[in-house]
Amino acid sequence: LAQQTNDKVQLENLLDEFLEGASYNDPEIHDRFWAEDLIYTGSAGTRTTKEQIMSGMPESADRSREPVTRYHAEEVQIQLYGSTAVVAFKLVAVNSEQTAGNRTEYFNTGTFVKREGEWRAVAWQATRIPE
């Protein structure tokens, strides 16, 4: 039970760190979060690999200014199955440059595997929630 609690805390922290870093398009945080064998299905119905995600990243994150879009998680659910976990949540994207309709929501489900003591996302599904 203590290990499950610790794993859930690790996954919650990892998700929070990832979404904060994703707000800055931080390649280091993406590299840490995604497994090399990732299968990512985006909300537009496209399938992507970690290599494809990383190829679109800048060399480093510019944290000197506030990001236009900030991401955070709501309604997080974590189910543990030994060294595998399913993390489901509502992803919220808030765009600071829009006054109306500045909030977009997605249902995200990630499958994580713990390898060499670190949780990594091996599968991801994002679905935009209609307004």
Side-chain angles (χ1 to χ4, degrees), residues 11 14 30-36 50 111-115 118-123:
L11 285 160
L14 180 62
H30 278 272
D31 189 46
R32 164 62 188 93
F33 191 77
W34 306 118
E36 296 303 319
K50 178 180 180 176
T111 303
F112 290 76
V113 175
K114 193 172 195 178
R115 296 176 177 156
E118 290 188 337
W119 290 102
R120 302 254 180 182
V122 294

Side-chain angles (χ1 to χ4, degrees), residues 48-69:
T48 308
T49 65
K50 178 180 180 176
E51 183 179 343
Q52 291 168 317
I53 291 171
M54 296 307 296
S55 71
M57 294 270 116
E59 284 190 31
S60 63
D62 179 6
R63 292 184 180 251
S64 64
R65 57 191 167 117
E66 284 296 308
V68 172
T69 303

Side-chain angles (χ1 to χ4, degrees), residues 33-47:
F33 191 77
W34 306 118
E36 296 303 319
D37 52 343
L38 171 71
I39 300 170
Y40 182 107
T41 304
S43 63
T46 57
R47 195 138 298 151

Side-chain angles (χ1 to χ4, degrees), residues 6 10 13 29 48 98 121 131:
N6 186 43
Q10 286 179 10
N13 290 340
I29 208 75
T48 308
Q98 295 176 335
E131 292 179 21

Side-chain angles (χ1 to χ4, degrees), residues 11-34 57-58 60-74 76 89-94 124:
L11 285 160
E12 287 171 356
N13 290 340
L14 180 62
L15 180 61
D16 288 342
E17 284 177 22
F18 173 72
L19 294 176
E20 192 272 334
S23 298
Y24 290 94
N25 209 20
D26 187 329
E28 287 182 31
I29 208 75
H30 278 272
D31 189 46
R32 164 62 188 93
F33 191 77
W34 306 118
M57 294 270 116
S60 63
D62 179 6
R63 292 184 180 251
S64 64
R65 57 191 167 117
E66 284 296 308
V68 172
T69 303
R70 282 210 170 266
Y71 302 100
H72 70 272
E74 296 179 356
V76 178
F89 64 99
K90 183 189 295 183
L91 171 69
V92 178
V94 178
W124 201 264

